[in-house]
Amino acid sequence: MDAKEIIARRVAMELKDGDLVNLGIGIPTLVTDYLPQGITVTLHSENGFVGLGPDNGPADPDVVNAGGKPASVAPGGAMFDSLMSFAIVRGGHLTMTVLGALEVDQHGNLANWMVPGKIVPGMGGAMDLVSGAKRVIVAMEHTAKDGTPKILPQCTLPLTGKGVVDMIVTNLAVFHFTTNGLVLSELAPGVTAEQIAACTTAEFTVSSDSKTMLLE
């Protein structure tokens, strides 16, 4: 598996029957390909529909997901305007949102919308999502392309939300935020805690029952 598949597979294991879930652009959209069998999950897209179908399903050329890519709609899906879409988000109806990130820090702060001096997709609905969803999962590669850590003591980029992240899933590990701070709970196959420490500048503890990352 490549890094993105590892992340998407692990995030998919967090989805439960009856969940209403928003998937952000990038890696989160891949989660639709790995939904657990035997459960019904309704996927929300902030550009105006519920019932997002698998990313590898037959795309409708007239339908796009939040990232602007062709998407499919599952049977029973519904489409509506932005007002209704954000009423769902702001009304606290989402079980969780899964978002990519530029940086996450040890306090649960998230930066995922702006790099000063660079052109990026923009805020979109991220600020509403992290404040409205019951649970926020960050799905991202563990480091930047140049190897720079993305899990930091403190975010250096403009924040999307403060203290909003519940869980981080990377291609190397899974972290949870607890009352005791950031906890390393799972490691990808073949990865050690020492390797994680070498590419993570945030302070974290290793769970006493840490395990190998569940991917299916």
Side-chain angles (χ1 to χ4, degrees), residues 72-178:
S72 62
V73 180
M79 300 182 185
F80 33 74
D81 61 18
S82 294
L83 181 64
M84 176 62 72
S85 185
F86 278 84
I88 292 171
V89 176
R90 295 170 181 169
H93 302 291
L94 293 175
T95 308
M96 73 176 70
T97 184
V98 183
L99 300 171
L102 297 167
E103 295 176 345
V104 182
D105 69 26
Q106 65 195 43
H107 308 291
N109 299 327
L110 169 66
N112 79 340
W113 72 280
M114 179 184 180
V115 178
K118 293 186 179 181
I119 298 176
V120 294
M123 177 65 74
M127 190 173 285
D128 296 277
L129 288 164
V130 298
S131 62
K134 296 181 177 70
R135 189 179 182 205
V136 176
I137 298 177
V138 167
M140 67 178 187
E141 294 193 42
H142 202 93
T143 63
K145 292 180 180 180
D146 63 359
T148 303
K150 296 175 69 174
I151 306 177
L152 310 172
Q154 185 170 341
C155 289
T156 63
L157 297 172
L159 295 183
T160 306
K162 188 173 182 179
V164 295
V165 181
D166 297 294
M167 180 179 184
I168 305 171
V169 179
T170 78
N171 52 309
L172 301 181
V174 174
F175 292 88
H176 287 86
F177 286 90
T178 72

Side-chain angles (χ1 to χ4, degrees), residues 49-52 73-79:
F49 60 94
V50 290
L52 184 70
V73 180
M79 300 182 185

Side-chain angles (χ1 to χ4, degrees), residues 162-202:
K162 188 173 182 179
V164 295
V165 181
D166 297 294
M167 180 179 184
I168 305 171
V169 179
T170 78
N171 52 309
L172 301 181
V174 174
F175 292 88
H176 287 86
F177 286 90
T178 72
T179 54
N180 295 318
L182 184 61
V183 177
L184 173 62
S185 53
E186 298 178 30
L187 293 164
V191 177
T192 67
E194 291 73 22
Q195 288 173 308
I196 297 300
C199 58
T200 306
T201 55

Side-chain angles (χ1 to χ4, degrees), residues 5-23:
E5 182 179 349
I6 290 172
I7 298 166
R9 282 183 176 274
R10 179 59 187 86
V11 170
M13 303 304 295
E14 292 297 305
L15 276 58
K16 303 294 186 292
D17 193 47
D19 282 351
L20 175 59
V21 180
N22 175 278
L23 300 177

